[in-house]
Amino acid sequence: MKKYNTSPISGMQELLPSAQATFDQFKSQIAEVFHRHGFQNIETPTIDRTDILLAKAGGDTEKQIYKVVKTAETATEADQALRFDHTVPLARYVVEHENDLPFPFKVTQIGRNFRGERAQKGRFREFYQCDVDVIGRNQLPLEYDADVIVTLYTALQAFKLPSMCIRISNRKILNGLLDSLQLTTQSAQIFNIIDHAEKVPASTTQASLVELQLNPQQIQTITHFIDLNGPRTSIITQLKQDFPAAMEHPIFQEGINELDQVLQAIECQIPQPELAIADLKIVRGLDYYTGTVFETFLSDYIQLGSICSGGRYDNLATHYTEHRLPGVGGSIGLTRLFYVLQASHLLQDYITQPLDYVIIPLSADCTPVAYQLAANLRQRGYSTDILFSHKKYSDNMNYASKVAKQAITIGAKELAEGQYSVKDFASGAVQSHQLPAELRLAE
Amino acid sequence: MKKYNTSPISGMQELLPSAQATFDQFKSQIAEVFHRHGFQNIETPTIDRTDILLAKAGGDTEKQIYKVVKTAETATEADQALRFDHTVPLARYVVEHENDLPFPFKVTQIGRNFRGERAQKGRFREFYQCDVDVIGRNQLPLEYDADVIVTLYTALQAFKLPSMCIRISNRKILNGLLDSLQLTTQSAQIFNIIDHAEKVPASTTQASLVELQLNPQQIQTITHFIDLNGPRTSIITQLKQDFPAAMEHPIFQEGINELDQVLQAIECQIPQPELAIADLKIVRGLDYYTGTVFETFLSDYIQLGSICSGGRYDNLATHYTEHRLPGVGGSIGLTRLFYVLQASHLLQDYITQPLDYVIIPLSADCTPVAYQLAANLRQRGYSTDILFSHKKYSDNMNYASKVAKQAITIGAKELAEGQYSVKDFASGAVQSHQLPAELRLAE
């Protein structure tokens, strides 16, 4: 017999049923919040045209994309590939169906994406992302930046994550600052250095800026800038006071005003505004963001990285259409979040047995009543299994304790008395119940 | 500007938001029924090892499988591929996690599978399948055959499909019959002819059997056999009476007893037993079924083919383990079912607007109240959007009518009176409502 490797491919998440039940519950709670906040769900195909997927991409994305081939093709010929995020297929979808969509189009996508990354802890090659986006036609009010953040915040709140904090900035502020410092040509490198600033000591960030040949004044300005974080009013005041030269710059001003407005709109909508703060270190690695940017951390687990991020992009679909489609969006990395909770031993609090009841008929003549009791319980919304087994009682109870919260046993003697017995596994309590009148034996 | 083709790849389903909302509702209704019937959900990775996926396959499957490659590989080297059904990954999963699973393992999988079929009407290259399976260790009572069928039947009942009928047989009956007719060597071809019998005239079936050099007596026996269909008691009686020679054959007898027991167990559990009948024409094309087999048709749309089918297989995972893991399972082809309903103009009855409310603040000073009213409605479970727009009133109402059942407008004048106005799009009615006390202006 050929020996097969039956483990899932490395980088793929595969859960046992009880963990899967918790994962599914997370997913449906997120979907439920997105829906309640007025986002409409769509699904794009997993497989799309390679040229569409790679129109804007480059670098890592091009290296990581999975191509899809039939029997005779090679990867270089492959004109089909697996989507690596929801944003590119969304751009295609909006262009394709533009005339049939309402704008602003508030849309959510929850599904699996694929990246052939080097497998390592917490990095997945197949992973769920839960996206919300709002796409406007020609223009899109700033209120939607807040709408996206509030929706994602509310979805995450459902998990009672410890020490969650959303950190928000606006790229225009840094762009204006760098322009006022005459550093526009080096801005890509500086964005990159700031993006990594949290993961390295301050001295490394300093050294990187020195390496770029910035003068001490410029370096001091930038390091002071990225250290700013906190509640809206104090940060907006500090930005206006501490950077008088930049305040002359219209983009710097515009960025501050936008950040102020977005944070104000968030304050109106969430019960704990201190959990959504300004943080000027947030820039987001990807290049397509143009205004608001945000990332979400668990403050006690900063090293685990962001679990939810996004921002504003001026034009979703530049490559596919000449129409202007500004958007704002964000995404919860659910597979990653789930892994993080598991690795931090926070997950056990969420896990429960998947089913409500297992009914165990103790002899064949009890089966018809078991069927009817199951139908009765299911109609009332309880998940109910009937165990058919020739094994011993203790084995059957053991099975039931693994899949359900309670076991119901029906034996001939109890049946004659119109009763059944319920064992609750959490408390260990066993109780006798009367069968519903219509299920009692006629005699 | 390069011209991109923004349509989805042929054979991929892509829905507009309102149709998607209906599709999602179908999917969650099915999942809910599976759960209530005691099946635990799992998800296997979309990508799996090619040798695992193709261990048993051959023929069409091998031609249709999508291989997955990174930059430099060719399809022939590809050791990873997209799953084409849920059964093969389930076999791998059960072998991999055997020690951590409860047996009988009642499991459901709802997800997308992939086959590079020639694109044609109603055939999809990416499609949802909703599977239930019960896997035993060493043995698996016959009650689970009924359990799978009852669960699938209940899930489909939720859609109030017109003229749905589940047609059930047992392969042992035909195997026993063919053996008693000394036709075992031709059995694969005869199974194939019977599998197609419904799609061609009776004369074509006759001709195919003649071509196989069956004698008139054999042909008469087989054509009489496959014409048998109807309620349990009459079919069981007919089988016993009309095939006295076959009744000497233990496998024929065993098949009849199994079919009788499965149908009886179904009768105990479904309100309309006449919708689950015996039909000896049902054999199922795939070769791995060993006992119970079933298919589901809409009697008024027979030409659309089966929307839900499955059966019993003696050993799920022969290729990956020497342990005996008998199983029974079935699957609803949701993408196909949805397409069928759409093509038969039955879908419109299910489609509704995705959201409950769109709130339209008529001026900026109404926004804070809009936020609070939205929070209030969302807390009560209503999906609620706030529209921010600088367009005219009529454009805004038009937007609302496209995405929601009702529009709420809040203007400064009404606000001063502690009121808001609700328009119901179905009836056209407009009503004034009092704002909840806590949302009224302080003055």
Side-chain angles (χ1 to χ4, degrees):
Chain A
M1 188 169 153
K2 182 185 163 179
K3 191 91 183 124
Y4 285 95
N5 179 354
T6 57
S7 65
I9 292 170
S10 136
M12 308 285 169
Q13 187 193 51
E14 182 163 275
L15 303 172
L16 287 170
S18 57
Q20 183 74 52
T22 309
F23 186 90
D24 293 346
Q25 198 190 312
F26 278 34
K27 183 148 64 84
S28 60
Q29 276 182 31
I30 291 172
E32 165 63 22
V33 170
F34 289 179
H35 177 65
R36 257 191 285 135
H37 283 248
F39 289 83
Q40 301 188 62
N41 188 49
I42 64 161
E43 282 192 321
T44 58
T46 306
I47 305 176
D48 221 319
R49 297 176 210 280
T50 310
D51 68 338
I52 286 272
L53 293 176
L54 293 178
K56 179 141 196 177
D60 280 354
T61 306
E62 202 146 348
K63 276 181 231 140
Q64 293 172 355
I65 196 167
Y66 281 112
K67 307 247 178 90
V68 157
V69 291
K70 294 292 295 299
T71 33
E73 295 161 305
T74 64
T76 30
E77 299 168 334
D79 58 358
Q80 303 188 357
L82 302 184
R83 65 180 186 203
F84 53 83
D85 72 3
H86 283 134
T87 311
V88 178
L90 174 62
R92 182 189 60 64
Y93 181 97
V94 171
V95 171
E96 177 69 11
H97 304 290
E98 190 179 342
N99 295 330
D100 297 312
L101 297 175
F103 288 94
F105 181 39
K106 286 183 62 164
V107 59
T108 161
Q109 295 174 88
I110 296 179
R112 286 166 148 188
N113 291 318
F114 301 84
R115 282 181 201 226
E117 288 201 83
R118 205 158 50 81
Q120 50 176 313
K121 271 194 178 175
R123 293 275 163 190
F124 291 91
R125 290 174 172 165
E126 173 174 44
F127 48 93
Y128 269 95
Q129 281 188 296
C130 309
D131 285 43
V132 283
D133 289 274
V134 189
I135 314 300
R137 194 145 53 173
N138 300 319
Q139 53 89 36
L140 182 70
L142 216 52
E143 282 86 350
Y144 288 106
D145 297 44
D147 191 15
V148 160
I149 295 173
V150 168
T151 302
L152 292 166
Y153 164 89
T154 309
L156 288 170
Q157 276 299 93
F159 306 122
K160 302 187 180 58
L161 300 172
S163 64
M164 184 182 93
C165 183
I166 303 185
R167 294 148 64 174
I168 305 163
S169 185
N170 189 303
R171 279 201 169 193
K172 289 178 184 168
I173 308 178
L174 182 57
N175 278 328
L177 180 73
L178 295 183
D179 202 26
S180 78
L181 293 172
Q182 261 110 39
L183 288 171
T184 313
T185 49
Q186 295 99 312
S187 75
Q189 293 108 305
I190 298 173
F191 266 75
N192 196 32
I193 293 167
I194 298 178
D195 200 29
H196 289 87
E198 191 146 48
K199 294 168 203 146
V200 298
S203 57
T204 311
T205 304
Q206 283 267 355
S208 306
L209 293 170
V210 169
E211 219 172 284
L212 270 185
Q213 306 197 302
L214 269 55
N215 67 43
Q217 178 59 40
Q218 289 169 327
I219 294 178
Q220 202 267 319
T221 305
I222 291 172
T223 49
H224 177 50
F225 179 82
I226 64 177
D227 275 348
L228 292 179
N229 66 76
R232 176 177 64 86
T233 42
S234 73
I235 297 301
I236 299 295
T237 312
Q238 267 190 283
L239 280 170
K240 288 180 178 169
Q241 279 172 1
D242 298 359
F243 303 89
M247 274 305 285
E248 305 292 307
H249 198 291
I251 300 291
F252 188 81
Q253 276 180 33
E254 192 178 316
I256 292 179
N257 287 338
E258 287 190 9
L259 180 61
D260 195 17
Q261 277 184 63
V262 169
L263 288 169
Q264 274 192 59
I266 293 171
E267 281 169 22
C268 289
Q269 294 178 77
I270 70 175
Q272 292 171 283
E274 69 275 17
L275 301 186
I277 62 166
D279 189 332
L280 279 306
K281 211 171 9 279
I282 301 303
V283 295
R284 303 286 300 125
L286 284 159
D287 64 353
Y288 59 71
Y289 294 110
T290 51
T292 301
V293 281
F294 63 93
E295 299 194 343
T296 311
F297 296 86
L298 306 184
S299 306
D300 299 340
Y301 299 88
I302 291 285
Q303 75 286 4
L304 298 173
S306 172
I307 53 169
C308 168
S309 54
R312 156 79 70 149
Y313 36 89
D314 263 351
N315 202 343
L316 175 71
T318 337
H319 292 271
Y320 319 128
T321 179
E322 282 161 4
H323 298 187
R324 212 175 103 73
L325 300 167
V328 58
S331 178
I332 298 173
L334 182 56
T335 304
R336 190 177 157 70
L337 170 62
F338 195 80
Y339 173 84
V340 163
L341 291 176
Q342 218 165 13
S344 338
H345 307 287
L346 295 168
L347 199 61
Q348 58 235 36
D349 301 344
Y350 301 93
I351 288 196
T352 60
Q353 297 302 40
L355 306 183
D356 295 313
Y357 293 104
V358 169
I359 300 178
I360 305 173
L362 297 180
S363 59
D365 51 340
C366 302
T367 302
V369 172
Y371 283 142
Q372 290 173 47
L373 187 58
N376 184 298
L377 289 167
R378 287 166 185 160
Q379 215 148 23
R380 288 151 60 199
Y382 295 109
S383 55
T384 308
D385 179 26
I386 307 175
L387 178 62
F388 298 100
S389 154
H390 305 298
K391 292 191 193 156
K392 321 186 278 227
Y393 180 80
S394 61
D395 288 336
N396 291 343
M397 284 307 262
N398 186 34
Y399 167 90
S401 72
K402 280 187 193 155
V403 301
K405 299 181 186 70
Q406 308 196 28
I408 294 177
T409 45
I410 307 182
K413 184 173 152 278
E414 287 164 302
L415 198 57
E417 294 161 5
Q419 295 196 326
Y420 62 95
S421 145
V422 181
K423 173 163 184 168
D424 181 89
F425 291 114
S427 67
V430 181
Q431 285 194 303
S432 272
H433 288 256
Q434 286 294 114
L435 276 172
E438 69 276 19
L439 303 192
R440 284 189 217 148
L441 294 183
E443 325 140 52
Chain B
M1 189 171 153
K2 183 186 161 178
K3 192 90 183 122
Y4 284 95
N5 179 354
T6 56
S7 66
I9 291 170
S10 137
M12 307 285 168
Q13 186 194 52
E14 183 163 275
L15 302 171
L16 287 170
S18 57
Q20 183 73 51
T22 309
F23 186 90
D24 293 346
Q25 198 190 314
F26 278 34
K27 182 149 64 82
S28 60
Q29 276 183 31
I30 291 173
E32 165 63 22
V33 170
F34 288 179
H35 177 66
R36 257 190 286 135
H37 283 247
F39 289 83
Q40 302 189 61
N41 189 50
I42 64 161
E43 282 191 321
T44 58
T46 306
I47 305 176
D48 221 318
R49 297 176 210 281
T50 310
D51 67 338
I52 287 273
L53 293 176
L54 293 179
K56 179 142 196 174
D60 280 354
T61 306
E62 202 147 345
K63 277 181 231 141
Q64 292 172 355
I65 196 167
Y66 281 112
K67 306 246 178 91
V68 157
V69 291
K70 296 289 297 298
T71 32
E73 295 162 305
T74 66
T76 30
E77 299 168 337
D79 58 359
Q80 303 189 357
L82 303 184
R83 64 179 187 205
F84 54 83
D85 72 4
H86 283 136
T87 311
V88 178
L90 173 62
R92 182 189 60 63
Y93 180 98
V94 172
V95 171
E96 177 70 10
H97 305 290
E98 189 178 344
N99 294 331
D100 297 313
L101 297 175
F103 288 93
F105 181 40
K106 286 184 61 165
V107 58
T108 162
Q109 296 174 86
I110 296 178
R112 287 167 147 187
N113 291 317
F114 302 84
R115 282 180 201 227
E117 288 201 82
R118 204 158 50 81
Q120 51 176 311
K121 270 196 182 173
R123 293 275 163 191
F124 292 90
R125 290 175 171 164
E126 173 173 44
F127 48 93
Y128 269 95
Q129 281 188 296
C130 309
D131 285 43
V132 283
D133 288 274
V134 189
I135 314 299
R137 193 146 53 172
N138 299 319
Q139 53 90 34
L140 182 70
L142 216 52
E143 282 86 351
Y144 289 107
D145 297 45
D147 191 14
V148 160
I149 294 173
V150 168
T151 301
L152 292 166
Y153 164 89
T154 310
L156 288 170
Q157 276 299 93
F159 306 123
K160 303 188 180 58
L161 300 172
S163 64
M164 184 181 92
C165 184
I166 304 186
R167 293 148 65 177
I168 304 163
S169 184
N170 189 303
R171 279 199 169 195
K172 289 177 184 169
I173 309 178
L174 182 56
N175 279 327
L177 180 73
L178 295 184
D179 202 26
S180 77
L181 292 172
Q182 262 111 38
L183 288 171
T184 313
T185 50
Q186 295 100 311
S187 75
Q189 292 109 305
I190 298 173
F191 266 75
N192 196 34
I193 292 167
I194 297 178
D195 200 31
H196 289 86
E198 190 147 50
K199 294 168 204 145
V200 297
S203 57
T204 311
T205 304
Q206 283 266 354
S208 306
L209 293 171
V210 169
E211 218 172 286
L212 270 184
Q213 306 198 301
L214 270 55
N215 68 42
Q217 177 60 39
Q218 289 168 327
I219 293 177
Q220 202 267 320
T221 305
I222 291 172
T223 49
H224 177 49
F225 178 82
I226 65 177
D227 275 349
L228 292 179
N229 66 78
R232 176 178 63 88
T233 42
S234 72
I235 297 300
I236 299 294
T237 311
Q238 267 190 284
L239 280 169
K240 289 179 178 170
Q241 280 172 1
D242 298 359
F243 303 90
M247 273 305 285
E248 305 291 308
H249 199 289
I251 299 292
F252 187 82
Q253 277 180 34
E254 192 179 317
I256 291 178
N257 287 339
E258 287 190 10
L259 180 61
D260 195 16
Q261 278 184 61
V262 169
L263 288 170
Q264 274 192 57
I266 293 170
E267 281 169 22
C268 289
Q269 296 178 75
I270 70 176
Q272 293 171 283
E274 69 275 16
L275 301 186
I277 62 165
D279 189 332
L280 279 306
K281 213 173 4 279
I282 302 302
V283 295
R284 302 287 300 126
L286 284 159
D287 64 353
Y288 58 71
Y289 294 110
T290 51
T292 300
V293 282
F294 63 92
E295 299 194 343
T296 311
F297 296 86
L298 307 183
S299 305
D300 299 341
Y301 299 90
I302 291 285
Q303 74 286 2
L304 298 173
S306 172
I307 53 168
C308 168
S309 55
R312 156 79 70 148
Y313 35 90
D314 263 349
N315 202 342
L316 175 70
T318 336
H319 292 271
Y320 319 129
T321 179
E322 281 162 3
H323 298 187
R324 212 174 103 73
L325 300 167
V328 58
S331 178
I332 297 173
L334 183 56
T335 303
R336 190 177 158 70
L337 170 62
F338 195 81
Y339 172 84
V340 162
L341 291 175
Q342 218 166 11
S344 336
H345 307 287
L346 295 168
L347 199 62
Q348 59 235 37
D349 301 344
Y350 300 92
I351 288 196
T352 61
Q353 298 301 42
L355 306 181
D356 295 313
Y357 293 104
V358 168
I359 300 178
I360 306 173
L362 297 179
S363 59
D365 51 341
C366 302
T367 302
V369 173
Y371 284 141
Q372 291 173 46
L373 187 58
N376 183 299
L377 290 167
R378 286 166 184 161
Q379 216 147 25
R380 288 153 60 201
Y382 294 110
S383 54
T384 307
D385 179 28
I386 307 174
L387 177 62
F388 297 100
S389 155
H390 305 298
K391 293 190 193 158
K392 325 186 272 223
Y393 179 79
S394 61
D395 287 336
N396 291 344
M397 285 307 262
N398 186 33
Y399 167 89
S401 72
K402 279 187 194 155
V403 299
K405 298 181 187 73
Q406 307 197 24
I408 294 177
T409 45
I410 307 181
K413 185 173 151 278
E414 287 164 302
L415 199 57
E417 293 162 6
Q419 295 195 325
Y420 62 96
S421 144
V422 180
K423 172 163 185 168
D424 181 88
F425 292 114
S427 67
V430 180
Q431 285 194 304
S432 271
H433 288 256
Q434 285 294 113
L435 276 171
E438 69 276 18
L439 303 192
R440 282 187 217 149
L441 293 184
E443 323 140 55

